[in-house]
Amino acid sequence: MSNKVEIGSTGLFVNPIGLGTNAVGGHNIFPNLKDETGKEIVRAALQNDINFIDTAYMYGPEKSEILIGEVLKETGQRANVVLATKGGQKYMNDKMEVDNSPKFLRETVENSLRRLQTDYIDLFYIHFPDEQTPKYEAVGELHRLKEEGKIRSIGVSNFSMNQLREGNKDGYIEVIQSGYNLFKRDAEEDLIPYSLENNISFIPYFPLASGLLTGKFSPNSTFEDGRAKNPLFQGEAFIQNLNKVDELKAIANNKHVAVSNLVLAWYLKQESIDVVIPGAKKPEQVLENIKTLEIKLSKDEINEISKIFH
Ligand code: NAP
């Protein structure tokens, strides 16, 4: 059994290695996903003491929540799992539209509850900010949903610094989820210091830079999914990025650990980060990522890794 950590001050205790599930049923994000593999990924996580699952309405849409709901039902594990989902978007005429209005947020929470086959969501995030709703009104509705017991804690995702300040006017925000990894560290300038000052837990998404930070790619690698257009994977930038990953590999080899584990351990050393949510396309990756818990990083190693990416 791993030692559980509290996500900020939410009262939710999790294994510091969680599971990101945009590749569980996320047919609108990745090509050629199989639903049964997605369910196997979730089962592998549960069987290996991972108890924090991160999903969203948008993954599928709906499918990720449905598959996770089915696995939780089948395994009877709901009570042992800390379930995070996100909403505030809808498909209209084949286009995704963002809607943070209190009325729609309430509707979306009810729909997530149904798909997940549960009567409470441990952590509910506004997935993306819209342009029209005052952020404190959107968060205020989540506060009411929390008081009613439908959600247990409040998160926001993809908020700018200003939107975060506005949303947190009443101090209700408990978690921020934002893009952050060794290649993309701008959150260190504003969102992370704000999280620390305001007792908010920062959860980084794309922690493995969509697989680039696992050390498995070479200049000859080709991509058919979103990576085909992702700037990190293009031309000269890709080569330079691979060179940085090679430097990580040297440190990982010295410690006899996988690059992905080294990277995930680096995030967990930060005061603002309690849990990471690497995604997986197959159960073996879940088993590999959980090994992060076996790693100890010295101050020198943390600084050495930091420097490679500055
Ligand atoms: P990620 O964690 O940076 O990368 C995950 C990908 O890396 C996997 O799908 C897999 O892809 C590869 N991988 C994972 N573990 C591996 C291992 N041990 N060895 C080799 N390859 C491995 O990216 P992500 O999954 O997109 O992001 C993490 C989670 O954050 C998501 O699942 C989702 O829950 C959340 N998220 C949230 C937002 C938001 O707007 N709030 C946005 C994006 C993601 P391949 O096998 O195909 O290489």
Side-chain angles (χ1 to χ4, degrees):
M1 285 289 280
S2 66
N3 286 331
K4 301 279 190 282
V5 295
E6 185 173 5
I7 304 180
S9 26
T10 58
L12 302 170
F13 287 83
V14 297
N15 184 325
I17 302 295
L19 177 69
T21 63
N22 59 7
V24 174
H27 299 280
N28 54 346
I29 304 174
F30 301 107
N32 309 320
L33 293 181
K34 291 201 171 68
D35 289 349
E36 191 43 45
T37 310
K39 287 169 106 171
E40 281 299 327
I41 288 169
V42 179
R43 288 186 197 112
L46 298 180
Q47 283 159 9
N48 287 279
D49 199 33
I50 290 177
N51 73 328
F52 182 54
I53 298 182
D54 181 273
T55 183
Y57 155 80
M58 201 184 102
Y59 307 158
E62 302 191 350
K63 194 75 188 187
S64 183
E65 290 185 328
I66 290 171
L67 295 177
I68 290 164
E70 286 173 3
V71 174
L72 292 179
K73 191 83 177 176
E74 146 208 314
T75 56
Q77 290 285 323
R78 172 65 188 102
N80 302 324
V81 166
V82 173
L83 202 46
T85 193
K86 322 180 193 79
Q89 284 155 299
K90 51 190 164 191
Y91 264 112
M92 296 285 281
N93 308 321
D94 277 345
K95 270 182 65 186
M96 194 65 91
E97 201 177 274
V98 190
D99 184 349
N100 298 168
S101 65
K103 181 171 175 290
F104 183 69
L105 286 178
R106 177 164 289 271
E107 232 173 272
T108 206
V109 165
E110 292 292 353
N111 288 332
S112 286
L113 287 170
R114 186 174 38 76
R115 286 188 290 270
L116 290 162
Q117 305 194 46
T118 183
D119 51 10
Y120 65 96
I121 291 162
D122 296 282
L123 168 57
F124 185 86
Y125 296 92
I126 297 171
H127 200 160
F128 286 91
D130 70 8
E131 284 176 10
Q132 57 277 9
T133 314
K135 296 298 144 242
Y136 55 86
E137 278 184 16
V139 171
E141 186 66 10
L142 295 190
H143 181 66
R144 281 184 285 280
L145 286 159
K146 184 176 163 184
E147 284 179 331
E148 293 164 28
K150 295 191 187 236
I151 69 173
R152 295 208 161 154
S153 60
I154 296 173
V156 296
S157 180
N158 299 302
F159 272 35
S160 68
M161 194 56 233
N162 283 342
Q163 289 164 331
L164 180 59
R165 272 204 201 92
E166 188 194 330
N168 202 32
K169 191 165 78 85
D170 301 304
Y172 294 150
I173 294 178
E174 297 166 282
V175 180
I176 298 168
Q177 189 177 124
S178 200
Y180 176 72
N181 59 48
L182 280 165
F183 287 114
K184 184 185 179 305
R185 294 172 63 179
D186 47 317
E188 288 172 14
E189 283 157 29
D190 47 17
L191 298 179
I192 289 181
Y194 182 91
S195 311
L196 277 173
E197 278 161 29
N198 291 277
N199 210 12
I200 292 172
S201 187
F202 182 88
I203 300 188
Y205 70 70
F206 294 148
L208 296 174
S210 302
L212 184 52
L213 286 167
T214 64
K216 68 180 174 181
F217 297 128
S218 75
N220 300 325
S221 302
T222 53
F223 304 98
E224 286 171 2
D225 55 18
R227 290 177 279 211
K229 290 198 176 143
N230 180 333
L232 288 174
F233 292 79
Q234 307 304 314
E236 187 50 34
F238 182 46
I239 304 298
Q240 284 176 13
N241 293 340
L242 289 173
N243 289 340
K244 291 183 180 174
V245 176
D246 277 343
E247 291 187 56
L248 275 185
K249 261 185 205 168
I251 303 174
N253 288 344
N254 266 340
K255 288 178 76 70
H256 307 290
V257 299
V259 175
S260 49
N261 296 140
L262 188 75
V263 169
L264 295 173
W266 183 86
Y267 302 122
L268 290 174
K269 277 291 186 179
Q270 296 195 32
E271 202 185 335
S272 55
I273 297 179
D274 302 305
V275 58
V276 287
I277 49 166
K281 301 271 179 14
K282 35 192 174 186
E284 299 88 291
Q285 293 173 343
V286 177
L287 301 188
E288 168 118 329
N289 295 338
I290 192 78
K291 290 189 194 147
T292 302
L293 297 175
E294 295 162 19
I295 292 192
K296 286 201 170 49
L297 286 185
S298 67
K299 273 212 174 105
D300 284 351
E301 287 167 333
I302 294 167
N303 291 337
E304 206 183 333
I305 294 168
S306 245
K307 268 198 208 139
I308 300 172
F309 292 86
H310 254 310

